[in-house]
Amino acid sequence: MADTNNIQTFVEPYVIPEGSPELNNNLREMAASFAVTDDRIREIIKGFHKSMAAGLQRDNPDVLPMIPTYVHRRPTGKETGTFLALDLGGTNLRVCQVTLNGDTTYGLVQQKFTITPEAKDSRLWDFIAECVGIFLEEHDLHPDKGRRSIPCGYTFSFPIFQTGIASGNLSMWNKGFTVPNSVGRDVVNLTQSAFQRHHVPVEVVAILNDTVGTLMTSGYSQPDTQMGIIFGTGTNAAYWEDLANIPKWPSADRGGEMVINLEWGAFDNATEILPYTPHDNKLNRKSPNHGLQVFEKMISGLFLGEVVRNAILALVDQRLVFGGRSSEVLNKSYTFDTAYMSEIVSDDSPDLAVVRTVLESTLDLPETTLVDRKIVRNVCNMIGARGVRLSAAAMSAVLLSRPDLMANPISIGIDGSMYQFYPNFEKDLYDVSRVFLGDDFVDNRLKLHLAKDGSGVGAAIVAMTVDQERRN
């Protein structure tokens, strides 16, 4: 087994035998800068624990937000009923009709709407109302007899400061959204006002983060679920915490538990712990939310390809790849999609034909050599490996914060394109975390599973619990 505490383990695989000494020296240096050794992960876990504890103590912009979600009832898998759910993500808005069958299974009717650039820039709230209106009309949905509106759970996958089960103020935009006059305001009010303007008979009765939705959906089918994680366009996690461990929770009642939304994309915004490189710094400087969500920028699908692009261009500038030539496409920010990384690292053909297609056809580069293609594959591999090791570090840190639970089986519901499509992501999560969580726990009690499209179903589950409490 490779010694993952030795920096050379992360360096030597990227040396290209037929490459020049100058090229290989640069590749070694680059690989070392992206390496995350076991000792480095231990430091990151320690930093996570310190930041989590401080965030549970009080709100502080320099530590993890650790946001109480007001969700305090675990699903049992026996809940029944039909509910509406909205799932606003970084790329799509999903409108869902969810039928809970009461036997840990559910039915889902959904429609996906691609969020337009105009909606991301300015008219998001009206766009949401228009899409919900279309869904209600196409599926002939109306409020139940005696009710003026349809109760709805709302998965909102952007950072909010939650002030109630159905209220939360937007902390900041990320994922490329810049809608004005929204930060600091209640996103339920903004959405509800748009429903009224467009005469859409829907009432948002619960707002939650996509990770909370993933956690609740996973919990409906796997009652031992302790965490929900998104490894996708963005990244975040939510987990069950004892109220006794949340000093900032205002209620005197310390019994029971509550889901905490970590907003872990914001870990180490002070840039003291994580392994930053010039390529990360370049991305951060040019991003709309400069200096924020720095952890997310190292592991999530929106940003990984851009880190690769920056690293490749650094080699182009030194005339070490593509003969020092680039292309108009590659010179533009965010043109190296993370999906290309998945294709490239999977390519084991002798001439790296898939890599050639991505570089020459998609990115419009001049004819490439086999060494060029090996360089690009190596850069993708080193940055992808860093991403999964940091992902495993964060997951391990949260589990290790609740050692009282680790004697029992624990399920973690995970959603997102990185987990689903990036080669060997799940296997690598298990392998990396084993060093910190122990073979016995990983082999016998830890279960990672895909909570596919979980955020929509989870919103409906929470809406159901709120609606039941209101009626009682």
Side-chain angles (χ1 to χ4, degrees):
M1 194 173 173
D3 179 3
T4 47
N5 209 27
N6 182 344
I7 198 83
Q8 293 309 310
T9 302
F10 300 93
V11 170
E12 291 310 313
Y14 302 117
V15 170
I16 298 173
E18 63 269 41
S20 69
E22 185 187 2
L23 169 64
N24 281 321
N25 285 340
N26 273 271
L27 288 175
R28 283 190 183 95
E29 189 179 322
M30 184 178 284
S33 73
F34 286 115
V36 186
T37 63
D38 292 348
D39 280 348
R40 190 66 180 267
I41 288 180
R42 289 185 183 95
E43 288 302 309
I44 290 168
I45 290 173
K46 202 181 296 179
F48 247 94
H49 286 167
K50 186 178 175 185
S51 193
M52 287 172 71
L56 290 171
Q57 187 76 36
R58 64 177 63 86
D59 294 326
N60 176 344
D62 297 327
V63 300
L64 283 167
M66 305 301 287
I67 301 167
T69 63
Y70 296 79
V71 174
H72 54 84
R73 265 179 62 180
R74 286 187 185 243
T76 63
K78 297 175 182 175
E79 293 86 355
T80 59
T82 300
F83 300 88
L84 200 63
L86 304 182
D87 175 18
L88 181 70
T91 308
N92 299 306
L93 170 71
R94 284 192 309 139
V95 186
C96 312
Q97 184 187 23
V98 180
T99 302
L100 305 174
N101 298 324
D103 59 359
T104 75
T105 68
Y106 52 82
L108 179 64
V109 177
Q110 62 175 327
Q111 200 165 342
K112 240 179 209 181
F113 300 87
T114 301
I115 300 168
T116 62
E118 187 187 14
K120 291 184 179 185
D121 288 344
S122 58
R123 60 181 309 275
L124 177 67
W125 313 111
D126 289 295
F127 172 81
I128 292 170
E130 289 161 5
C131 294
V132 174
I134 290 167
F135 183 84
L136 296 185
E137 189 174 331
E138 290 190 359
H139 295 87
D140 196 26
L141 297 177
H142 306 279
D144 289 344
K145 192 174 180 182
R147 303 186 73 165
R148 297 174 61 183
S149 58
I150 303 170
C152 173
Y154 190 8
T155 299
F156 191 82
S157 57
F158 298 86
I160 59 170
F161 177 74
Q162 201 150 352
T163 52
I165 191 64
S167 57
N169 298 330
L170 181 68
S171 305
M172 57 172 282
W173 285 120
N174 55 19
K175 302 173 191 172
F177 283 61
T178 55
V179 183
N181 304 317
S182 301
V183 174
R185 297 178 67 186
D186 184 346
V187 296
V188 173
N189 281 345
L190 291 166
T191 306
Q192 205 67 56
S193 297
F195 286 163
Q196 289 165 358
R197 286 195 298 276
H198 292 266
H199 308 290
V200 175
V202 168
E203 181 191 3
V204 176
V205 298
I207 186 167
L208 52 150
N209 187 275
D210 52 354
T211 46
V212 179
T214 298
L215 171 61
M216 295 298 279
T217 305
S218 176
Y220 187 73
S221 55
Q222 309 270 349
D224 59 1
T225 297
Q226 179 60 23
M227 276 183 83
I229 306 177
I230 303 290
F231 290 125
T233 308
T235 185
N236 190 18
Y239 76 110
W240 285 102
E241 181 61 271
D242 285 342
L243 280 171
N245 296 335
I246 313 173
K248 71 180 179 184
W249 180 243
S251 171
D253 181 6
R254 295 285 169 185
E257 56 185 354
M258 180 177 287
V259 175
I260 291 291
N261 166 22
L262 282 98
E263 287 297 342
W264 77 13
F267 175 63
D268 198 35
N269 278 346
T271 64
E272 295 170 345
I273 299 166
L274 294 170
Y276 301 95
T277 70
H279 317 296
D280 300 300
N281 295 335
K282 183 178 177 184
L283 181 153
N284 197 7
R285 270 199 313 276
K286 292 187 171 185
S287 65
N289 58 351
H290 167 62
L292 301 172
Q293 300 295 103
V294 294
F295 184 57
E296 180 170 77
K297 289 169 183 171
M298 288 185 160
I299 72 170
S300 71
L302 181 62
F303 300 105
L304 277 184
E306 181 66 0
V307 180
V308 168
R309 191 186 74 90
N310 288 343
I312 290 171
L313 287 176
L315 295 172
V316 169
D317 289 345
Q318 296 170 80
R319 304 184 68 80
L320 295 173
V321 68
F322 313 141
R325 294 170 295 173
S326 185
S327 68
E328 278 191 38
V329 179
L330 189 62
N331 286 339
K332 285 178 67 175
S333 298
Y334 294 95
T335 50
F336 197 105
D337 197 283
T338 302
Y340 305 159
M341 287 178 68
S342 297
E343 295 175 33
I344 286 168
V345 301
S346 301
D347 186 3
D348 55 6
S349 62
D351 62 344
L352 299 181
V354 174
V355 183
R356 170 184 268 159
T357 300
V358 171
L359 295 176
E360 297 178 14
S361 300
T362 308
L363 296 174
D364 201 27
L365 284 154
E367 189 174 344
T368 59
T369 67
L370 182 57
V371 170
D372 288 335
R373 300 193 286 277
K374 285 184 176 180
I375 292 167
V376 171
R377 187 178 63 174
N378 284 2
V379 171
C380 289
N381 268 316
M382 61 180 77
I383 291 169
R386 182 186 69 165
V388 77
R389 287 183 68 78
L390 290 175
S391 300
M395 181 183 80
S396 299
V398 177
L399 291 174
L400 290 166
S401 75
R402 294 296 309 273
D404 53 311
L405 299 177
M406 290 179 63
N408 302 311
I410 288 178
S411 289
I412 299 179
I414 308 178
D415 197 4
S417 53
M418 290 298 296
Y419 179 74
Q420 206 174 347
F421 301 120
Y422 195 82
N424 300 314
F425 194 92
E426 182 187 83
K427 176 185 177 297
D428 291 343
L429 274 183
Y430 276 119
D431 288 348
V432 176
S433 60
R434 160 186 315 279
V435 177
F436 312 99
L437 302 176
D439 289 341
D440 176 49
F441 176 72
V442 171
D443 290 337
N444 301 312
R445 295 190 297 284
L446 178 64
K447 184 181 179 187
L448 310 181
H449 62 96
L450 178 66
K452 181 70 184 123
D453 290 332
S455 46
V457 178
I461 291 169
V462 178
M464 177 272 306
T465 63
V466 172
D467 196 52
Q468 279 185 352
E469 286 173 3
R470 281 182 171 188
R471 291 186 173 199
N472 295 338

